[in-house]
């Protein structure tokens, strides 16, 4: 007799086959504004001294408006900045944990009006882990940085792993989630095409499947969790030839 988990995986394969591919696009650039390394705007900077703003947003804390903005250098490095509106009194933010890597995007935290979610690619290449960090400006003099990672896992599909009736191998991973929590699941592999299945704590039922195949080897699922508990994420190859290494990242999208 098949276990509930196996039954859920098989159902997921059938459901995923009809889902159109949609890729979560990289955040587009904002107005072309250049700043120097000290966060001051200057459109006359030579290219080797220029950082181009790719994110800017206004927030209010303790009755005062501020701008939070970030700019990217030509090699991918970034500076994080804060100022009063119109670049008044700009200040460089020292956050080496996120600035030492590649920032994919920055968005407002929908649950916290003084916080932002910073998505960091921890290394270069297709199969690097992705980590969300919450950056909270409730105290602008001491911004609080919090890792929002729920799971970072490097795995391998190989001969001898559990398999489905079509011969495709799969591996299970688990993480703790909370009711109404928005999460993003990223899976990247240089080696094989795959499906992702998310299974809820209760009755092993599938919560949501929106597996998105990018070049058939990079997937992303964004979903709001229905309850507290332990969730299963199942990584499955497309067929019996789908084997090799992969990187799985699961992050909360809010503080």
């Amino acid at each position: 007799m098949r276990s509930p988990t196996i039954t859920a995986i098989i159902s997921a394969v059938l459901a995923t086959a009809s889902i159109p591919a949609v890729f979560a696009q990289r955040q587009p650039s904002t107005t072309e504004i250049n700043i120097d390394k000290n966060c001051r705007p200057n459109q006359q900077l030579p290219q080797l001294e220029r950082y181009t703003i790719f994110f800017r947003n206004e927030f209010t804390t303790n009755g005062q408006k501020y701008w939070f903005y970030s700019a990217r250098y030509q090699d991918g490095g970034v500076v994080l900045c804060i100022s009063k509106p119109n670049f008044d009194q700009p200040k460089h933010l020292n956050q080496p944990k996120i600035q030492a890597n590649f920032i994919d995007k920055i968005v407002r935290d929908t649950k916290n009006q003084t916080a932002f979610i910073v998505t960091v690619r921890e290394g270069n290449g297709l199969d690097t882990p992705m980590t969300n960090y919450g950056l909270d400006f409730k105290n602008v003099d001491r911004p609080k940085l919090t890792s929002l990672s729920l799971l970072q896992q490097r795995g391998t599909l190989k001969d001898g792993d559990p398999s489905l009736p079509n011969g495709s191998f799969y591996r299970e991973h688990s993480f703790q989630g909370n009711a109404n929590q928005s999460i993003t699941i990223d899976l990247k592999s240089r080696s094989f095409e795959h499906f992702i299945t998310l299974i809820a704590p209760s009755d092993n039922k599938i919560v949501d499947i929106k597996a998105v195949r990018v070049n058939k080897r990079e997937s992303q699922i964004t979903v709001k969790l229905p309850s507290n508990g332990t969730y299963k994420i199942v990584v499955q190859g497309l067929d019996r030839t789908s084997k090799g290494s992969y990187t799985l990242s699961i992050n909360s999208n809010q503080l």
Side-chain angles (χ1 to χ4, degrees):
M1 178 180 294
R2 293 192 183 107
S3 70
T5 299
I6 298 299
T7 302
I9 297 172
I10 296 172
S11 299
V13 173
L14 297 176
T16 307
S18 62
I19 296 173
V22 180
F23 180 48
Q25 296 291 335
R26 182 184 293 271
Q27 180 176 330
S29 297
T30 57
T31 311
E32 191 79 5
I33 298 176
N34 298 322
I35 63 173
D36 61 23
K37 64 182 180 180
N38 295 313
C39 301
R40 296 171 300 198
N42 186 343
Q43 295 299 96
Q44 308 305 317
L45 287 168
Q47 186 172 2
L48 291 179
E49 299 177 18
R50 181 188 307 165
Y51 290 79
T52 301
I53 291 178
F54 68 92
F55 176 85
R56 185 179 66 190
N57 205 292
E58 184 175 278
F59 68 95
T60 301
T61 184
N62 298 321
Q64 173 65 57
K65 291 183 178 180
Y66 293 92
W67 281 3
F68 170 49
Y69 53 102
S70 184
R72 185 174 282 116
Y73 191 60
Q74 58 185 347
D75 66 354
V78 300
V79 291
L80 299 174
C81 307
I82 189 170
S83 73
K84 293 181 179 179
N86 299 312
F87 300 104
D88 182 24
Q89 302 176 40
K91 182 173 66 173
H92 178 262
L93 296 174
N94 184 25
Q95 296 290 344
K97 184 175 290 187
I98 56 179
Q99 288 170 279
N101 295 293
F102 298 95
I103 293 180
D104 262 30
K105 66 178 180 179
I106 305 173
V107 298
R108 288 292 291 264
D109 186 337
T110 58
K111 300 273 185 165
N112 186 338
Q113 293 305 304
T114 62
F116 298 82
I117 307 301
V118 183
T119 301
V120 174
R121 186 182 298 270
E122 300 190 5
N124 197 8
L126 174 64
D127 55 352
T128 55
M130 304 287 286
T131 302
N132 283 357
Y133 290 89
L135 186 57
D136 193 349
F137 290 101
K138 185 176 182 179
N139 183 342
V140 294
D141 295 321
R142 294 182 178 178
K144 183 179 180 180
L145 185 69
T146 304
S147 173
L148 302 179
S149 174
L150 301 177
L151 179 69
Q152 296 284 355
Q153 183 72 55
R154 292 184 184 272
T156 305
L157 288 185
K158 61 184 185 301
D159 291 330
D161 281 343
S163 62
L164 296 175
N166 69 349
S168 61
F169 300 110
Y170 70 91
R171 292 182 69 90
E172 292 185 7
H173 304 277
S174 62
F175 67 95
Q176 296 297 313
N178 299 318
N180 298 315
Q181 182 179 24
S182 172
I183 67 165
T184 296
I185 303 166
D186 288 282
L187 190 142
K188 299 177 177 66
S189 173
R190 294 177 182 271
S191 306
F192 61 89
E193 301 178 31
H194 56 263
F195 295 104
I196 292 179
T197 305
L198 179 62
I199 302 174
S202 60
D203 300 325
N204 286 326
K205 293 182 180 178
I206 298 170
V207 176
D208 193 17
I209 301 174
K210 291 190 288 188
V212 178
R213 290 179 289 176
V214 180
N215 297 325
K216 299 182 179 180
R217 296 187 179 186
E218 181 174 356
S219 297
Q220 187 178 89
I221 297 173
T222 297
V223 63
K224 183 177 287 187
L225 302 179
S227 60
N228 297 339
T230 301
Y231 287 79
K232 291 181 181 179
I233 182 75
V234 181
V235 178
Q236 178 213 330
L238 184 66
D239 56 36
R240 68 186 63 208
T241 67
S242 300
K243 294 180 286 187
S245 62
Y246 62 86
T247 299
L248 175 65
S249 305
I250 304 177
N251 292 282
S252 175
N253 296 319
Q254 59 204 45
L255 281 170

